[in-house]
Amino acid sequence: MCGIVGYLGSREAYPILIKGLHRLEYRGYDSAGIALINSKLDLSVYKTKGKVEDLENYVADKDVEGTIGIAHTRWATHGEPNSQNAHPHYSQSGRLALIHNGIIENYKVLKEELISKGYTFSSDTDTEVLIQLIEYMQMSHNTSIYEAVQLALKNVIGAYAIAIIDKSNPNQLIAARKGSPLIIGVGDKEFLIGSDATPIVEYTNKVIYLEEEEIAVMKRNGEISITNLSNVPQTPIIKTLELNLSQLEKANFPHFMLKEIFEQPEALRTSMLGRLNMESKTVRLSGIIDHRDKFLKAKRIIICACGTSWHAGLIGKYIIEELTRIPVEVEYSSEFRYRNPVITKDDIVIAISQSGETADTLAAIKLAKDNGAFVYGICNVVGSSIARASDTGSYLHVGPEIGVASTNAFTAQVTTLTLIAMNIAEEKKTISKERIAELVEELQQIPEKINQTLQMNMRIKLYAQIFTYARNFIYLGRGFNYPVALEGALKLKEISYIHAEGYPAAEMKHGPIALIDEEMPVVVIAPKRGMYEKVLSNIQEVKARKGKIISIVTKGDTAVKELSDFCLEIPDTEECFVPILSVVPLQLLSYHIAIAKGRNVDQPRNLAKSVTVE
Ligand code: F6R
């Protein structure tokens, strides 16, 4: 949710930290702050409401000298977004500063205890409680800052990724994590920390993924020591980052979201690379082949995910059941983790998460594993917590998704679930070799067919101008395209703030039809494949009530086109692959409506890219 970045080394910290904050801004952006220790050993904290740009303006005339510092971009959980609640937070003496991503659940109890010992607070945050607690531990136990951090964290319930600097020791940076991600970049006698790799990649590709309940102490001479909360030393494992700088830039696009929509053909090609064998016309996913028996024996698959990833999971259910005949249940991770679900050792849980850090999905994995299920993770971010917590899995390989509204990760998730279904079907022989070969042939065409779909961009832009007036939208689809209707509605809500609902088209007559009048735009996904005739009747029902119909149809369609006020054509494909194409015009429609309404599409209000709190 929040973004954290830190630096210790011989360079000036400020430019590195500010650049890092810009890269992390997609994670949270209601306020930002920075703390630096200068050569005179002054610890200065500057923070402000708003974006990183506002912070830069605020510090323009301030002293930002120093080679050690920490910085934070916030997504409010405790206390409204204002400069008092922004991070970093000082300790009572003004000697320590801390940044934090996560939630300290028992902060109220801790705060009351500290108040009774004479501590005062200047913010409403749980984070300020933590830094005061660390200082209190240090004073009351007369110990080092490292031991004080350890003692304080033992008293904390909740999730945290933290970084601390101490003006009495400007040669040391301390970081710790539990539940929220934290990565350490290891340079030549310098260290960077980040809540993901984006602020680090410019300076080094050597990284350490801090594990649960580990504390790292980094020194200016290049030494690093890692221990866990029980003080057991851990060997730092340095890995190589698979990320390059150009992936973090907008190229010639005005927004990351548009870039990511247009990157989908290439992203899906990369996603399928090495997995589709065009010679043997087969699919191979190492996560499945290496655990073949598990999949052959599986009695049930449970998919856990949130938001857009949950919509991908719903499409996955349709495809996996169709091709493999294994029953699939799709669960919101946040419900699954708390409702005492029936899980057995013959179940396979597929956890889907772009960020790989979604707290509810991580907790769902833990529950599944505790009950003996085998967990297959589908993540985009390499080395993320969910990827590491899963027994096996597949990465999406679409590169960093920066726009808050998920687009290319969604189509890659659906593609990966399709590959999983095809690979299991091959192993279980639930469909013929010939049929698999046909599907492989067609799947390989999908990136080019997305390219053709993207050609409608300018037309969609024109349609979007017409619909900026709308206060509500309805999205309808059936079968494989019902989850696409949900996803289209979510995309519109997220970035344009227009209320939108997705329904299975036939459900409309059970209630939502009452909403339809001449002002209501109704987006209907009506491809030739699947329940075309049925959807056609649903469209008639909307038309009869004067709803404005925007249809997504297969190229060459005439019947739906005639009934529609606006029509967008996608290339024909196998029924189970249609969602990968039909979602693309919906992504573009949301984007252009949001732009026409003057919204910040890459950083929509109240949202964050990586939801690391419950
Ligand atoms: C929507 C969106 C969210 C995420 C959800 C899960 O555009 O981005 O709904 O899909 O927060 O996130 P991940 O996939 O990172 O677990």
Side-chain angles (χ1 to χ4, degrees), residues 458-473 492 498 518-522 548-550 565-568 589 592-597:
M458 290 318 287
R459 184 132 59 94
I460 296 173
K461 188 175 175 183
L462 284 177
Y463 290 0
Q465 319 298 320
I466 300 164
F467 288 103
T468 47
Y469 77 87
R471 294 170 60 87
N472 299 287
F473 258 76
L492 188 71
I498 294 173
E518 59 280 1
E519 299 232 317
M520 179 66 89
V522 182
K548 292 272 166 300
I549 295 163
I550 307 155
D565 298 278
F566 305 92
C567 183
L568 296 163
L589 186 67
H592 287 299
I593 291 178
I595 294 292
K597 289 180 80 75

Side-chain angles (χ1 to χ4, degrees), residues 132-153:
Q132 304 285 36
L133 181 66
I134 292 170
E135 184 163 277
Y136 169 71
M137 288 297 182
Q138 189 178 20
M139 314 279 260
S140 58
H141 290 76
N142 191 19
T143 183
S144 70
I145 174 76
Y146 157 71
E147 276 158 341
V149 170
Q150 204 175 46
L151 285 170
L153 293 181

Side-chain angles (χ1 to χ4, degrees), residues 306-309 352-355 358 404-406 490-491 494 611:
C306 306
T308 286
S309 299
I352 312 175
S353 173
Q354 185 285 130
S355 63
T358 301
V404 163
S406 187
L490 178 64
K491 281 295 84 94
E494 281 183 294
V611 186

Side-chain angles (χ1 to χ4, degrees), residues 4 15 95 111 158 182 189 251 276 280 326-327 344 476 499 519 526 562 565 579 606:
I4 71 180
R95 193 167 47 79
K111 190 170 182 174
L182 203 135
K189 291 202 180 146
L276 274 192
S280 59
I326 302 174
T344 73
L476 302 175
H499 173 245
E519 299 232 317
E562 270 168 25
D565 298 278
N606 304 339

Side-chain angles (χ1 to χ4, degrees), residues 183-186 192 194 196-209 237-245 247-248 381-384:
I183 301 178
I184 298 172
V186 184
L192 290 111
D196 63 32
T198 56
I200 297 175
V201 61
E202 194 165 342
Y203 308 98
T204 177
N205 66 355
K206 290 198 202 118
V207 293
I208 298 169
Y209 294 95
I237 299 170
I238 298 184
K239 300 207 166 149
T240 306
L241 263 186
E242 288 177 28
L243 183 70
N244 62 55
L245 205 55
Q247 291 176 303
L248 303 177
V381 179
V382 175
S384 55

Side-chain angles (χ1 to χ4, degrees), residues 275 285-295 347-353 365 369 373-379 384-395 416 420 423-424:
R275 293 170 173 171
L285 286 166
S286 61
I288 297 204
I289 300 300
D290 296 348
H291 305 276
R292 192 174 171 270
D293 283 355
K294 293 262 177 222
F295 287 88
D347 289 331
I348 292 180
V349 169
I350 300 184
I352 312 175
S353 173
I365 291 180
K369 283 175 98 175
F374 182 76
V375 178
Y376 194 104
I378 300 179
C379 298
S384 55
S385 303
I386 290 174
R388 284 180 289 142
S390 302
D391 292 305
T392 186
S394 301
Y395 283 117
T416 305
I420 290 174
N423 200 164
I424 303 175

Side-chain angles (χ1 to χ4, degrees), residues 392-553:
T392 186
S394 301
Y395 283 117
L396 301 177
H397 295 306
V398 299
E401 195 184 50
I402 310 281
V404 163
S406 187
T407 52
N408 61 1
F410 173 77
T411 42
Q413 286 164 344
V414 176
T415 306
T416 305
L417 286 158
T418 305
L419 293 172
I420 290 174
M422 288 164 68
N423 200 164
I424 303 175
E426 263 180 70
E427 296 298 329
K428 280 183 66 113
K429 303 194 179 11
T430 40
I431 53 175
S432 69
K433 271 190 174 168
E434 293 68 31
R435 180 70 185 130
I436 293 274
E438 273 171 25
L439 291 174
V440 167
E441 279 286 351
E442 181 56 25
L443 195 53
Q444 205 218 8
Q445 307 293 321
I446 290 293
E448 177 45 34
K449 292 190 176 181
I450 298 182
N451 248 334
Q452 292 166 24
T453 308
L454 290 167
Q455 305 307 312
M456 293 187 295
N457 184 38
M458 290 318 287
R459 184 132 59 94
I460 296 173
K461 188 175 175 183
L462 284 177
Y463 290 0
Q465 319 298 320
I466 300 164
F467 288 103
T468 47
Y469 77 87
R471 294 170 60 87
N472 299 287
F473 258 76
I474 291 179
Y475 286 71
L476 302 175
R478 293 185 79 149
F480 287 92
N481 286 299
Y482 152 53
V484 178
L486 298 181
E487 175 60 9
L490 178 64
K491 281 295 84 94
L492 188 71
K493 280 187 263 215
E494 281 183 294
I495 58 169
S496 71
Y497 319 146
I498 294 173
H499 173 245
E501 295 293 340
Y503 291 101
E507 271 297 300
M508 194 187 53
K509 57 186 171 295
H510 298 290
I513 199 161
L515 295 169
I516 294 176
D517 62 14
E518 59 280 1
E519 299 232 317
M520 179 66 89
V522 182
V523 178
V524 192
I525 307 147
K528 267 267 182 265
R529 312 271 181 143
M531 287 165 271
Y532 178 75
E533 300 297 336
K534 305 270 177 211
V535 180
L536 198 59
S537 318
N538 299 138
I539 293 175
Q540 302 272 19
E541 290 157 12
V542 175
K543 191 79 192 161
R545 284 149 189 94
K546 299 195 170 58
K548 292 272 166 300
I549 295 163
I550 307 155
S551 60
I552 314 294
V553 301

